[in-house]
Amino acid sequence: MGVLVIADDVLHRARQRVDDAEVLLTGRAALLGLTSRGRISAGGATQLLRARDGWCALTLSRDDDIACVPALLETDTAGEDPWPQLHRWADGRNAEQVRDRARLLDLPVAVLGEADPGAPAVQRVGVPGTPGDPAGLLVVDLTSMWAGPLCAQLLARADAVVVKVESPRRPDGTRAGDRRFFDWMNGAKLGYAADFDRDRSALRAMLSAADIVLEGSRPTALTRRGLGPRDVPARPGRVWARISGHGDDGDNSGRVAFGDDAAVAGGLVCRDETGPVFMGDALADPLTGIEAYVAVLDSLRRGGGELIEVSMAGVAAGYAVGATAQSAVSPRAPEILLPAPELGADNGAVDHLVSQRLGATC
């Protein structure tokens, strides 16, 4: 088995948040057989590019990202392996020029260390309820991939009832990958399928009945459908946690990110004799999932009624502070207790639960 290079301070601080932090940070690598690869991310989709005045990270994990490479390079074709051309292209530009050009095409890109440390931002939305813990609460998980689903998994482990909502047209992308990772993130959840355009009334009812909502899409995706935190009536004390790549302020609003490029934005990298190399496996994802979970618990203890915004790059930047000494860590495989539900497997049960909860509040 390979190893992941991770700063000692990152592991120490994560262990203070959750007991099995090392499994949460390295579990995907253990399941998929990933290892540290220098300036290529452990998962292989992100690379560090040297610009004239610094470093950038670019992620090509989606088919649409790869299709955009010729436009990025302003050429007719990028070939089967676009990375050599991308390295040459970046080498002749400043880091901000690389980032800004890639952002025009909605590509996940970051300049090394561009993000500032940021604690979750909290706003009052709705009225507070009785302070408490997650046990027995209804969690609506609208997120996908890793950070949000991990937060929801931790809430399920704390005895919350978690409903994973997916669109049949765009299900969670990790369904198409190694099923063990999807099961690890989404076991112990109920599965609900809903079209976010056609099934708005059912979704609105679910969000009204929820005690906790986890959102990972761009905020406009829900608000333009009338399903945002200020659009849907809330139970007293509802906590709405919104996870984004770079926050929702100013130019960063709606900016797409994945775990490896978000970590680079926060400066969460290791270094060798030639410069920065990737730390761990997409660390901004599991660290953000952990921090979002802790932020939800804190909100519940205050009585909730809050919107919490968590930036992956901001979380990474916070963990980067003081993270210097690094060690090679052997990935630890998680114990997968339950398979994740099939798409829409629990629609009937969830609709009944929502009806009961809304009836009880009438």
Side-chain angles (χ1 to χ4, degrees):
M1 179 181 291
V3 296
L4 296 175
V5 179
I6 302 177
D8 299 337
D9 190 59
V10 170
L11 284 173
H12 174 71
R13 291 169 61 187
R15 290 187 187 112
Q16 292 178 316
R17 297 303 219 180
V18 287
D19 292 336
D20 56 346
E22 197 162 321
V23 173
L24 298 181
L25 299 188
T26 68
R28 188 181 81 149
L31 292 174
L32 305 186
L34 305 180
T35 188
S36 288
R37 301 166 63 186
R39 294 198 178 97
I40 300 175
S41 66
T46 309
Q47 293 198 20
L48 281 161
L49 307 176
R50 187 197 297 269
R52 284 190 304 215
D53 61 345
W55 293 86
C56 297
L58 178 68
T59 299
L60 301 178
S61 62
R62 306 168 296 184
D63 290 341
D64 288 347
D65 298 333
I66 297 171
C68 284
V69 172
L72 179 66
L73 299 175
E74 299 180 276
T75 186
D76 292 332
T77 180
E80 291 187 11
D81 180 5
W83 287 109
Q85 290 187 66
L86 286 164
H87 282 278
R88 290 193 296 270
W89 174 79
D91 191 54
R93 289 161 175 79
N94 293 333
E96 290 188 359
Q97 291 175 323
V98 173
R99 179 195 62 196
D100 294 346
R101 173 71 181 167
R103 282 192 62 189
L104 287 175
L105 298 168
D106 206 27
L107 291 169
V109 64
V111 173
L112 176 60
E114 66 173 288
D116 295 323
V122 179
Q123 304 175 45
R124 171 66 62 195
V125 176
V127 297
T130 303
D133 59 46
L137 299 185
L138 176 61
V139 179
V140 175
D141 178 14
L142 304 176
T143 68
S144 62
M145 305 306 284
W146 194 350
L150 174 56
C151 176
Q153 181 217 98
L154 292 170
L155 289 166
R157 283 165 42 176
D159 295 325
V161 177
V162 180
V163 179
K164 181 173 181 61
V165 180
E166 298 174 81
S167 166
R169 292 187 292 178
R170 291 192 66 182
D172 189 325
T174 57
R175 277 190 180 273
D178 190 303
R179 182 67 189 213
R180 293 172 299 168
F181 178 69
F182 185 78
D183 287 343
W184 176 37
M185 284 295 104
N186 298 292
K189 301 178 186 178
L190 300 171
Y192 195 91
D195 185 293
F196 281 71
D197 290 314
R198 300 173 187 169
D199 300 321
R200 292 186 202 180
S201 60
L203 289 167
R204 187 177 180 85
M206 190 186 307
L207 295 173
S208 297
D211 300 296
I212 301 168
V213 178
L214 305 179
E215 176 191 352
S217 60
R218 301 181 188 190
T220 55
L222 292 179
T223 55
R224 64 186 172 86
R225 294 177 171 89
L227 298 174
R230 293 180 174 83
D231 304 316
V232 180
R235 293 167 65 89
R238 183 181 68 189
V239 178
W240 192 296
R242 175 180 290 160
I243 296 172
S244 64
H246 294 267
D248 293 319
D249 294 332
D251 292 341
N252 283 326
S253 180
R255 184 176 168 188
V256 65
F258 288 90
D260 285 302
D261 53 87
V264 170
L268 190 61
V269 296
C270 294
R271 295 188 180 271
D272 64 16
E273 63 279 3
T274 63
V277 295
F278 284 103
M279 184 187 296
D281 172 30
L283 275 183
D285 267 313
L287 290 174
T288 299
I290 292 169
E291 291 302 312
Y293 168 67
V294 172
V296 168
L297 295 185
D298 289 342
S299 181
L300 291 174
R301 295 185 187 110
R302 293 190 295 266
E306 296 175 338
L307 168 64
I308 302 168
E309 300 192 60
V310 187
S311 158
M312 292 171 61
V315 168
Y319 273 88
V321 176
T324 53
Q326 56 201 48
S327 299
V329 177
S330 296
R332 293 178 55 189
E335 182 180 9
I336 301 172
L337 300 176
L338 291 169
E342 295 303 321
L343 188 65
D346 302 300
N347 274 37
V350 173
D351 286 338
H352 180 67
L353 174 61
V354 168
S355 178
Q356 284 186 315
R357 290 174 68 88
L358 292 179
T361 60
C362 293

